[in-house]
Amino acid sequence: MPIKIPDTLPAFQTLVNEGVRVMTETVAVRQDIRPLQIGLLNLMPNKIKTEIQMARLVGASPLQVELSLIRVGGHKAKNTSEEHLLSFYETWEEVRHRKFDGFIITGAPVETLDYEDVTYWNEMQRILDWTVTNVHSTLNVCWGAMAAIYHFHGVPKHLLKEKAFGVYRHVNLKPSSVYLTGFSDDFGVPVSRWTEVRRADVAKVPGLEILMESKEMGICLIHENAGNRLYMFNHVEYDSTSLADEYFRDVDAGVPIKMPHDYFPHNDASLPPLNRWRSHAHLFFGNWINEIYQTTPYDLEEIGNDR
């Protein structure tokens, strides 16, 4: 089944052009199916780009999925038009009465700040607490993952001496995990962050299972069964050119930046990068959506009643 998003959303035509099946409200209501309700709390500055990246992966599932776009109310976006936000987004306060089968919390360009110094941290804490009772499974990404694991378990983030940047080999530590079905033993994952969560800190918290890890970059993915949460510290959702866009942005701005590791062919920034993580990105999101489908209550209102 295709993903249901507004047909005027910029991501709609992009996904159609890529061969991802999408549907309009008119078509969706004719199908006697309860679509999975997936919320996307988009904290990224370029919201349209992130919408496309996430919708592309969520929409590749054979299940019918309805994607809701959500933003924090206590922060004014600088890189996305107010018209776009008013047309396609709801604030968390406007959806807090709802329940979701799955909920994605993205990264945000605030990772070098202390959590308490982030302007919307109080709202973020309320959202994270709300996911316990109103969301069946939460996928926290990059800063969203660091914020969640800090909020729920006090696991700190550590500032790196230089930016972790590039495509790094990762090891499949738990091939039997439902989230890693079909994964290779090792694979490349895009990394772009200034902070890290360390294994020694994670090991102090019972119930946190490390699923993916890199020798150079450390932990990539953690599963927490008790809270039905995933913590993804890197960016499997990235486009082929995402790291290049970041690199050239910093070069043009005169910001010191190393060439992304193992990304450009022959380390030549004039050559277009090859996407070597796309298949695993689709596997990961497909596995997550399938696990939600297998375990979520049919009645949305039952979500959270067992916690």
Side-chain angles (χ1 to χ4, degrees):
M1 294 294 175
I3 184 173
K4 184 165 83 69
I5 56 177
D7 55 8
T8 54
L9 187 72
F12 189 100
Q13 192 57 51
T14 300
L15 298 180
V16 169
N17 294 341
E18 293 180 0
V20 178
R21 297 188 64 191
V22 293
M23 65 163 54
T24 62
E25 179 71 27
T26 303
V27 174
V29 296
R30 291 204 302 261
Q31 298 186 338
D32 188 20
I33 295 173
R34 179 175 92 67
L36 292 178
Q37 298 295 318
I38 305 294
L40 172 61
L41 181 66
N42 193 348
L43 305 174
M44 292 297 286
N46 190 328
K47 297 198 181 315
I48 294 176
K49 182 180 292 187
T50 304
E51 292 159 15
I52 294 172
Q53 291 171 347
M54 294 299 185
R56 174 188 294 126
L57 295 169
V58 170
S61 167
L63 304 169
Q64 187 185 127
V65 175
E66 183 172 347
L67 185 66
S68 298
L69 302 178
I70 302 160
R71 60 188 175 94
V72 291
H75 178 72
K76 185 174 178 60
K78 298 178 181 178
N79 297 283
T80 304
S81 72
E82 190 68 16
E83 179 183 5
H84 183 84
L85 295 176
L86 291 174
S87 297
F88 302 113
Y89 278 79
E90 296 174 281
T91 65
W92 171 70
E93 289 286 351
E94 292 171 328
V95 304
R96 63 182 301 178
H97 65 283
R98 292 178 54 188
K99 296 201 174 185
F100 292 88
D101 300 294
F103 200 76
I104 303 169
I105 300 178
T106 73
V110 293
E111 60 176 315
T112 59
L113 297 176
D114 289 340
Y115 295 112
E116 291 77 12
D117 291 337
V118 175
T119 56
Y120 50 85
W121 180 242
N122 288 338
E123 183 174 0
M124 191 71 191
Q125 289 182 296
R126 293 195 297 274
I127 293 171
L128 290 168
D129 286 337
W130 166 87
T131 63
V132 175
T133 55
N134 286 63
V135 176
H136 178 65
S137 179
T138 307
L139 171 57
N140 307 285
V141 180
C142 200
W143 181 83
M146 294 185 183
I149 204 168
Y150 172 75
H151 174 74
F152 289 116
H153 302 295
V155 175
K157 64 181 179 182
H158 300 272
L159 190 64
L160 298 170
K161 293 180 180 179
E162 61 181 22
K163 186 177 184 179
F165 192 45
V167 179
Y168 287 86
R169 303 304 298 178
H170 284 69
V171 177
N172 180 349
L173 298 177
K174 193 74 174 180
S176 61
S177 169
V178 295
Y179 300 105
L180 300 183
T181 299
F183 266 63
S184 305
D185 293 334
D186 76 335
F187 39 87
V189 177
V191 180
S192 179
R193 49 183 166 79
W194 284 97
T195 54
E196 67 176 352
V197 166
R198 294 177 180 168
R199 175 179 268 272
D201 296 321
V202 171
K204 298 175 184 177
V205 182
L208 296 181
E209 182 180 36
I210 301 172
L211 303 183
M212 292 162 48
E213 189 174 31
S214 164
K215 180 180 179 181
E216 299 92 345
M217 293 293 104
I219 297 173
C220 176
L221 178 65
I222 292 174
H223 174 237
E224 181 183 3
N225 187 61
N228 210 8
R229 303 183 192 99
L230 287 165
Y231 305 90
M232 167 61 74
F233 299 104
N234 298 323
H235 290 284
V236 293
E237 81 282 1
Y238 263 9
D239 296 322
S240 302
T241 60
S242 294
L243 294 177
D245 293 341
E246 293 180 21
Y247 174 70
F248 291 122
R249 176 200 64 197
D250 288 352
V251 169
D252 291 343
V255 176
I257 183 72
K258 287 186 176 180
M259 184 176 292
H261 172 81
D262 197 22
Y263 176 62
F264 292 113
H266 312 297
N267 282 329
D268 184 345
S270 68
L271 298 176
L274 298 176
N275 189 315
R276 292 175 281 118
W277 59 90
R278 183 184 295 114
S279 59
H280 284 93
H282 279 276
L283 271 175
F284 174 64
F285 271 79
N287 289 341
W288 179 57
I289 294 292
N290 182 61
E291 181 63 11
I292 290 173
Y293 175 74
Q294 298 293 335
T295 58
T296 194
Y298 183 81
D299 183 354
L300 273 171
E301 293 308 310
E302 293 296 316
I303 289 175
N305 289 349
D306 58 345
R307 297 180 189 174

